[in-house]
Amino acid sequence: MKICVVGGGPGGMTAALSAAENGAEVTLVEQNEKLGKKLYITGKGRCNLTNDCPPQEFLSNVVTNNKFLFGAINALTPEKTIALFEELGLKTKTERGKRVFPVSDKASDVTKALERGLVSRGVEILLGKKVTKINFSGNRILSLNTMSDIVFFDKLILASGGVSYPSTGSDGSVFGILRGMGHTVTKLYPSLVEIKIKEKYPLEGLSLTNVNFSVFDAAGKRVFCEFGEMLFTRGGVSGPLVLTASAFINKLHVNGMKLAVDLKPALSEHQLDCRILRDFGENSNKQFKNSL
């Protein structure tokens, strides 16, 4: 069985690993000059591999259509994912929020581990090959055209990403090919992205830790609230909390959202008032802005 995997990101590399382990002759086609290009920028360059939790807990944190992942997450649980990377020679560690990272804190080491696994299993890797056409004869896949080659195979796995980050290869070009093959492509919209805000704050680059970040709809109903880290950008806000919240906002498809940040969620209003008065008392000879 000859299988072609299109896309050299984490999904494509993992699919190629699995297919090769099951005895298939695998070719991995990637349009970039290296594998895992988007992986290099995940988790602030550290790469959050998975979360060390049961599959059901993992699914409960998937915002949209978590039933789609049910089979996959039970076949490759977080526990098995960690074991896979350990087998590939990557040491891991678990941090706050059950987040799993490489011990080296380098996303590049994750890609290297996967690439070692591909090579050791005999996967053919074609880099710098952008897919331009998929050729069929009846229901049988015959060949796949790249900019410079034709690859022949029996089965195809598409793991080419969405349209989230064109410079990393997720440019959505494969969807045009799929439409040409007669497939229906649903509306594409961003998820896990920076949130633009109407107000203009001179706070670009400011990072906040240990805050509560909430999102309210136009009726004032809170639709999201989580504790963690965020930061201000030139036109809005970003960071782990905001990226997660963006998925909820995009799912609702409504306008008039409001964001709220609780800078001291562990303190009551009375405790915060006492804290501020104490700080003023200790800094009575300083300017108001400096006392804070």
Side-chain angles (χ1 to χ4, degrees), residues 85-112:
F85 280 104
E86 295 279 350
E87 178 191 332
L88 294 175
L90 182 77
K91 297 298 182 182
T92 63
K93 60 181 178 179
T94 303
E95 297 186 357
R96 180 176 56 82
K98 303 178 183 178
R99 298 177 299 168
V100 179
F101 292 91
V103 168
S104 66
D105 283 331
K106 294 180 180 179
S108 58
D109 287 344
V110 177
T111 301
K112 290 174 184 176

Side-chain angles (χ1 to χ4, degrees), residues 48-66:
N48 180 192
L49 296 173
T50 185
N51 280 45
D52 191 5
C53 62
Q56 194 54 46
E57 183 180 341
F58 190 100
L59 288 174
S60 69
N61 287 281
V62 176
V63 177
T64 303
N65 196 17
N66 61 11

